[in-house]
PDB file of all heavy atoms in Angstrom:
ATOM      1  N   SER A 153      -6.697 -13.352   3.439  1.00 87.00           N
ATOM      2  CA  SER A 153      -7.931 -14.057   3.970  1.00 87.00           C
ATOM      3  C   SER A 153      -7.581 -15.503   4.086  1.00 87.00           C
ATOM      4  O   SER A 153      -6.603 -16.028   3.447  1.00 87.00           O
ATOM      5  CB  SER A 153      -9.125 -13.893   3.101  1.00 87.00           C
ATOM      6  OG  SER A 153      -8.809 -14.504   1.743  1.00 87.00           O
ATOM      7  N   GLU A 154      -8.181 -16.267   4.888  1.00 78.00           N
ATOM      8  CA  GLU A 154      -7.870 -17.623   5.194  1.00 78.00           C
ATOM      9  C   GLU A 154      -8.805 -18.599   4.457  1.00 78.00           C
ATOM     10  O   GLU A 154      -8.473 -19.748   4.279  1.00 78.00           O
ATOM     11  CB  GLU A 154      -8.047 -17.909   6.722  1.00 78.00           C
ATOM     12  CG  GLU A 154      -7.170 -17.014   7.511  1.00 78.00           C
ATOM     13  CD  GLU A 154      -5.672 -17.183   7.315  1.00 78.00           C
ATOM     14  OE1 GLU A 154      -5.279 -18.260   6.853  1.00 78.00           O
ATOM     15  OE2 GLU A 154      -4.959 -16.225   7.588  1.00 78.00           O
ATOM     16  N   ASP A 155      -9.930 -18.194   3.984  1.00 74.00           N
ATOM     17  CA  ASP A 155     -10.899 -19.045   3.342  1.00 74.00           C
ATOM     18  C   ASP A 155     -10.890 -18.867   1.784  1.00 74.00           C
ATOM     19  O   ASP A 155     -11.315 -17.819   1.386  1.00 74.00           O
ATOM     20  CB  ASP A 155     -12.294 -18.829   3.945  1.00 74.00           C
ATOM     21  CG  ASP A 155     -13.321 -19.819   3.400  1.00 74.00           C
ATOM     22  OD1 ASP A 155     -13.029 -20.581   2.396  1.00 74.00           O
ATOM     23  OD2 ASP A 155     -14.502 -19.715   3.918  1.00 74.00           O
ATOM     24  N   PRO A 156     -10.292 -19.773   1.050  1.00 71.00           N
ATOM     25  CA  PRO A 156     -10.246 -19.554  -0.412  1.00 71.00           C
ATOM     26  C   PRO A 156     -11.552 -19.407  -1.195  1.00 71.00           C
ATOM     27  O   PRO A 156     -11.707 -18.926  -2.194  1.00 71.00           O
ATOM     28  CB  PRO A 156      -9.457 -20.750  -0.897  1.00 71.00           C
ATOM     29  CG  PRO A 156      -9.596 -21.822   0.247  1.00 71.00           C
ATOM     30  CD  PRO A 156      -9.716 -21.093   1.414  1.00 71.00           C
ATOM     31  N   SER A 157     -12.697 -19.946  -0.446  1.00 73.00           N
ATOM     32  CA  SER A 157     -14.002 -19.747  -1.064  1.00 73.00           C
ATOM     33  C   SER A 157     -14.628 -18.400  -0.812  1.00 73.00           C
ATOM     34  O   SER A 157     -15.545 -18.093  -1.484  1.00 73.00           O
ATOM     35  CB  SER A 157     -14.996 -20.809  -0.371  1.00 73.00           C
ATOM     36  OG  SER A 157     -15.201 -20.532   0.953  1.00 73.00           O
ATOM     37  N   HIS A 158     -13.969 -17.591  -0.077  1.00 72.00           N
ATOM     38  CA  HIS A 158     -14.348 -16.205   0.074  1.00 72.00           C
ATOM     39  C   HIS A 158     -13.217 -15.283  -0.318  1.00 72.00           C
ATOM     40  O   HIS A 158     -12.210 -15.188   0.513  1.00 72.00           O
ATOM     41  CB  HIS A 158     -14.799 -15.843   1.482  1.00 72.00           C
ATOM     42  CG  HIS A 158     -16.078 -16.656   1.856  1.00 72.00           C
ATOM     43  ND1 HIS A 158     -16.032 -17.964   2.256  1.00 72.00           N
ATOM     44  CD2 HIS A 158     -17.317 -16.172   1.871  1.00 72.00           C
ATOM     45  CE1 HIS A 158     -17.316 -18.284   2.449  1.00 72.00           C
ATOM     46  NE2 HIS A 158     -18.148 -17.201   2.285  1.00 72.00           N
ATOM     47  N   PRO A 159     -13.200 -14.704  -1.422  1.00 80.00           N
ATOM     48  CA  PRO A 159     -12.051 -13.740  -1.844  1.00 80.00           C
ATOM     49  C   PRO A 159     -11.705 -12.658  -0.825  1.00 80.00           C
ATOM     50  O   PRO A 159     -10.573 -12.150  -0.768  1.00 80.00           O
ATOM     51  CB  PRO A 159     -12.544 -13.112  -3.175  1.00 80.00           C
ATOM     52  CG  PRO A 159     -13.637 -14.039  -3.647  1.00 80.00           C
ATOM     53  CD  PRO A 159     -14.300 -14.658  -2.447  1.00 80.00           C
ATOM     54  N   THR A 160     -12.748 -12.182  -0.079  1.00 82.00           N
ATOM     55  CA  THR A 160     -12.483 -11.095   0.824  1.00 82.00           C
ATOM     56  C   THR A 160     -13.051 -11.506   2.216  1.00 82.00           C
ATOM     57  O   THR A 160     -14.098 -12.211   2.324  1.00 82.00           O
ATOM     58  CB  THR A 160     -13.026  -9.723   0.391  1.00 82.00           C
ATOM     59  OG1 THR A 160     -14.431  -9.795   0.345  1.00 82.00           O
ATOM     60  CG2 THR A 160     -12.358  -9.309  -0.920  1.00 82.00           C
ATOM     61  N   GLN A 161     -12.487 -10.928   3.229  1.00 73.00           N
ATOM     62  CA  GLN A 161     -13.035 -11.060   4.602  1.00 73.00           C
ATOM     63  C   GLN A 161     -12.909  -9.725   5.288  1.00 73.00           C
ATOM     64  O   GLN A 161     -11.837  -9.077   5.242  1.00 73.00           O
ATOM     65  CB  GLN A 161     -12.195 -12.160   5.423  1.00 73.00           C
ATOM     66  CG  GLN A 161     -12.445 -13.593   4.955  1.00 73.00           C
ATOM     67  CD  GLN A 161     -11.626 -14.584   5.735  1.00 73.00           C
ATOM     68  OE1 GLN A 161     -10.422 -14.640   5.595  1.00 73.00           O
ATOM     69  NE2 GLN A 161     -12.297 -15.353   6.627  1.00 73.00           N
ATOM     70  N   VAL A 162     -13.984  -9.331   5.880  1.00 76.00           N
ATOM     71  CA  VAL A 162     -13.977  -8.027   6.690  1.00 76.00           C
ATOM     72  C   VAL A 162     -13.307  -8.261   7.981  1.00 76.00           C
ATOM     73  O   VAL A 162     -13.516  -9.366   8.608  1.00 76.00           O
ATOM     74  CB  VAL A 162     -15.402  -7.481   6.810  1.00 76.00           C
ATOM     75  CG1 VAL A 162     -15.500  -6.240   7.616  1.00 76.00           C
ATOM     76  CG2 VAL A 162     -16.085  -7.284   5.446  1.00 76.00           C
ATOM     77  N   PHE A 163     -12.553  -7.298   8.413  1.00 68.00           N
ATOM     78  CA  PHE A 163     -12.087  -7.324   9.838  1.00 68.00           C
ATOM     79  C   PHE A 163     -12.093  -5.970  10.399  1.00 68.00           C
ATOM     80  O   PHE A 163     -12.170  -4.958   9.769  1.00 68.00           O
ATOM     81  CB  PHE A 163     -10.705  -7.936   9.866  1.00 68.00           C
ATOM     82  CG  PHE A 163      -9.543  -7.058   9.351  1.00 68.00           C
ATOM     83  CD1 PHE A 163      -8.806  -6.252  10.138  1.00 68.00           C
ATOM     84  CD2 PHE A 163      -9.187  -7.145   8.063  1.00 68.00           C
ATOM     85  CE1 PHE A 163      -7.715  -5.475   9.670  1.00 68.00           C
ATOM     86  CE2 PHE A 163      -8.114  -6.325   7.485  1.00 68.00           C
ATOM     87  CZ  PHE A 163      -7.447  -5.559   8.354  1.00 68.00           C
ATOM     88  N   ASP A 164     -12.133  -5.883  11.791  1.00 67.00           N
ATOM     89  CA  ASP A 164     -12.283  -4.617  12.494  1.00 67.00           C
ATOM     90  C   ASP A 164     -10.912  -3.991  12.684  1.00 67.00           C
ATOM     91  O   ASP A 164     -10.374  -4.267  13.716  1.00 67.00           O
ATOM     92  CB  ASP A 164     -13.048  -4.898  13.831  1.00 67.00           C
ATOM     93  CG  ASP A 164     -13.397  -3.597  14.476  1.00 67.00           C
ATOM     94  OD1 ASP A 164     -13.293  -2.571  13.901  1.00 67.00           O
ATOM     95  OD2 ASP A 164     -13.658  -3.699  15.738  1.00 67.00           O
ATOM     96  N   HIS A 165     -10.464  -3.245  11.708  1.00 60.00           N
ATOM     97  CA  HIS A 165      -9.213  -2.521  11.912  1.00 60.00           C
ATOM     98  C   HIS A 165      -9.318  -1.480  12.916  1.00 60.00           C
ATOM     99  O   HIS A 165     -10.384  -1.018  13.224  1.00 60.00           O
ATOM    100  CB  HIS A 165      -8.939  -1.856  10.529  1.00 60.00           C
ATOM    101  CG  HIS A 165      -7.576  -1.318  10.380  1.00 60.00           C
ATOM    102  ND1 HIS A 165      -7.368  -0.065  10.786  1.00 60.00           N
ATOM    103  CD2 HIS A 165      -6.440  -1.800   9.818  1.00 60.00           C
ATOM    104  CE1 HIS A 165      -6.010   0.280  10.520  1.00 60.00           C
ATOM    105  NE2 HIS A 165      -5.526  -0.830  10.039  1.00 60.00           N
ATOM    106  N   ALA A 166      -8.237  -1.191  13.513  1.00 55.00           N
ATOM    107  CA  ALA A 166      -8.194  -0.206  14.658  1.00 55.00           C
ATOM    108  C   ALA A 166      -8.596   1.197  14.297  1.00 55.00           C
ATOM    109  O   ALA A 166      -9.191   1.912  15.050  1.00 55.00           O
ATOM    110  CB  ALA A 166      -6.788  -0.117  15.324  1.00 55.00           C
ATOM    111  N   VAL A 167      -8.454   1.518  12.902  1.00 58.00           N
ATOM    112  CA  VAL A 167      -8.788   2.873  12.442  1.00 58.00           C
ATOM    113  C   VAL A 167     -10.001   2.886  11.722  1.00 58.00           C
ATOM    114  O   VAL A 167     -10.938   3.742  11.945  1.00 58.00           O
ATOM    115  CB  VAL A 167      -7.659   3.504  11.667  1.00 58.00           C
ATOM    116  CG1 VAL A 167      -8.024   4.918  11.106  1.00 58.00           C
ATOM    117  CG2 VAL A 167      -6.306   3.520  12.405  1.00 58.00           C
TER     118      VAL A 167
END
Side-chain angles (χ1 to χ4, degrees):
S153 64
E154 303 297 336
D155 185 352
S157 66
H158 291 83
T160 62
Q161 290 178 287
V162 177
F163 70 96
D164 186 17
H165 189 275
V167 178

